[in-house]
């Protein structure tokens, strides 16, 4: 069926929030490439890059106000709050191994999955009055979003920089322990000390990468992503059969199969 103008606006706003978050992320990470091109901060410098990200967010806010639906405004502004909270979570580390994984998944939800979950919810609110459908849309987006980031964390270890469009092992260089690292830590406990010092000593990044590739960390993270995609499919299958529903199910498979 035809997409409503307001639903299309939600898609545009979601993409703008996402793009702004990438521009700001690249400043925080001092990254020099994104999607195979130079980052904004490399071209214009940090100050202008921060302002550029702010400008995109302000344009998204104007577009959001134009939809004129207070529920949609509330749902999508939650994404911006989650992005900031997720960035703060990423700056911290947990000493306890069990807490560490929960911390990682919470950060993954706030930095990636919240955008997809709340965008799906917003579009469903505009298209259907049934709260049950809104919750299905939210749960679908949440699970697809977490799976997407888990695969992204896998590709950081398995893909080459040219294919990925950004440097590999970037997370380790930033001191971040993602899924493959946390799973590898169970087989190589000596990684605990490296995680707590955020891979800051000379040779830490190379050693950690070697441990990850020697362990089943990549396979375990991929398996976890499959579980999240399975849950996304289970949620969206609650809706009646349609070409749109089938497309959303196929999307979960594409998330798992992507290589860049």
């Amino acid at each position: 069926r035809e997409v409503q103008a307001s639903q299309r606006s939600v898609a545009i706003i979601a993409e703008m929030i996402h793009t702004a978050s990438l521009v700001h992320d690249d400043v925080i990470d001092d990254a020099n490439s994104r999607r195979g091109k130079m980052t904004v901060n490399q071209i214009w410098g940090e100050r202008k890059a921060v302002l550029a990200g702010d400008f995109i967010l302000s344009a998204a806010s104007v577009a959001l106000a134009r939809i004129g639906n207070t529920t949609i405004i509330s749902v999508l502004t939650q994404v911006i709050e989650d992005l900031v909270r997720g960035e703060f979570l990423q700056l911290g580390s947990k000493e306890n191994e069990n807490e560490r994984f929960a911390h990682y998944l919470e950060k993954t939800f706030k930095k990636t999955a919240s955008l997809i979950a709340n965008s799906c919810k917003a579009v469903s609110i505009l298209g259907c009055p049934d709260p049950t459908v809104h919750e299905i849309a939210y749960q679908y987006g949440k699970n697809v979003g977490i799976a997407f980031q888990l695969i992204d964390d896998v590709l950081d270890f398995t893909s080459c920089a040219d294919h990925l469009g950004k440097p590999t092992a970037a997370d380790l260089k930033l001191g971040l322990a993602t899924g493959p690292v946390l799973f590898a830590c169970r087989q190589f406990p000596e990684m605990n000390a490296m995680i707590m010092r955020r891979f800051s000593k000379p040779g830490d990044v190379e050693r950690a990468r070697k441990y990850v590739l020697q362990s089943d960390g990549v396979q375990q993270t991929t398996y976890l992503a499959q579980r999240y995609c399975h849950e996304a499919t289970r949620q969206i299958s609650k809706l009646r059969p349609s070409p749109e529903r089938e497309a959303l199910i196929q999307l979960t498979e594409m998330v798992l199969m992507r290589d860049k």
Side-chain angles (χ1 to χ4, degrees):
R1 290 182 295 280
E2 277 298 302
V3 174
Q4 298 174 23
S6 56
Q7 290 175 317
R8 190 176 295 278
S9 292
V10 168
I12 292 167
I13 292 159
E15 191 60 46
M16 291 170 84
I17 293 171
H18 178 52
T19 301
S21 76
L22 295 183
V23 172
H24 283 160
D25 262 5
D26 289 341
V27 172
I28 292 167
D29 300 343
D30 195 25
N32 52 29
S33 66
R34 169 76 68 176
R35 295 173 180 166
K37 297 179 181 179
M38 283 178 70
T39 53
V40 177
N41 48 296
Q42 283 291 309
I43 299 167
W44 288 346
E46 283 190 6
R47 291 181 181 182
K48 286 184 179 177
V50 170
L51 291 172
D54 290 347
F55 181 78
I56 298 167
L57 270 181
S58 66
S61 300
V62 170
L64 184 53
R66 282 194 186 128
I67 293 175
N69 182 314
T70 54
T71 305
I72 300 302
I73 292 170
S74 175
V75 168
L76 289 181
T77 49
Q78 182 64 48
V79 173
I80 299 172
E81 180 185 327
D82 284 344
L83 279 167
V84 177
R85 288 182 180 275
E87 201 62 60
F88 274 114
L89 282 171
Q90 187 162 285
L91 294 173
S93 298
K94 292 285 183 184
E95 197 147 352
N96 180 286
E97 193 178 310
N98 294 328
E99 283 182 19
R100 200 183 282 158
F101 213 95
H103 182 268
Y104 164 66
L105 288 176
E106 186 184 358
K107 182 269 296 180
T108 296
F109 170 75
K110 285 186 165 23
K111 282 202 68 181
T112 305
S114 173
L115 175 71
I116 302 174
N118 285 297
S119 299
C120 289
K121 183 177 180 179
V123 168
S124 74
I125 289 168
L126 291 166
C128 170
D130 186 354
T132 306
V133 173
H134 308 161
E135 182 60 20
I136 289 168
Y138 179 87
Q139 291 298 331
Y140 170 83
K142 173 186 173 181
N143 283 282
V144 164
I146 293 174
F148 182 92
Q149 187 58 50
L150 289 170
I151 295 297
D152 211 60
D153 294 342
V154 164
L155 291 174
D156 197 41
F157 288 94
T158 61
S159 187
C160 66
D162 288 345
H163 208 53
L164 203 56
K166 57 185 179 181
T168 53
D171 291 327
L172 286 175
K173 290 167 189 169
L174 293 169
L176 304 178
T178 58
V181 174
L182 297 178
F183 278 118
C185 191
R186 295 173 182 178
Q187 287 171 267
F188 297 97
E190 53 267 45
M191 292 179 73
N192 269 304
M194 287 191 273
I195 290 170
M196 289 314 297
R197 62 176 178 256
R198 298 179 75 89
F199 312 103
S200 57
K201 281 191 178 179
D204 274 0
V205 170
E206 292 75 17
R207 276 176 63 211
R209 182 175 167 78
K210 187 179 77 173
Y211 284 141
V212 168
L213 296 176
Q214 285 175 355
S215 75
D216 64 358
V218 164
Q219 294 92 320
Q220 289 285 350
T221 308
T222 305
Y223 173 64
L224 187 59
Q226 288 169 347
R227 283 171 54 193
Y228 277 104
C229 279
H230 178 75
E231 178 58 20
T233 299
R234 191 183 73 82
Q235 290 289 337
I236 209 69
S237 295
K238 293 175 183 177
L239 301 180
R240 66 176 180 269
S242 67
E244 292 83 2
R245 190 188 78 167
E246 289 312 303
L248 290 170
I249 290 170
Q250 283 178 25
L251 184 64
T252 66
E253 293 162 14
M254 290 166 64
V255 164
L256 293 172
M257 298 302 292
R258 72 189 183 95
D259 58 2
K260 61 181 179 179

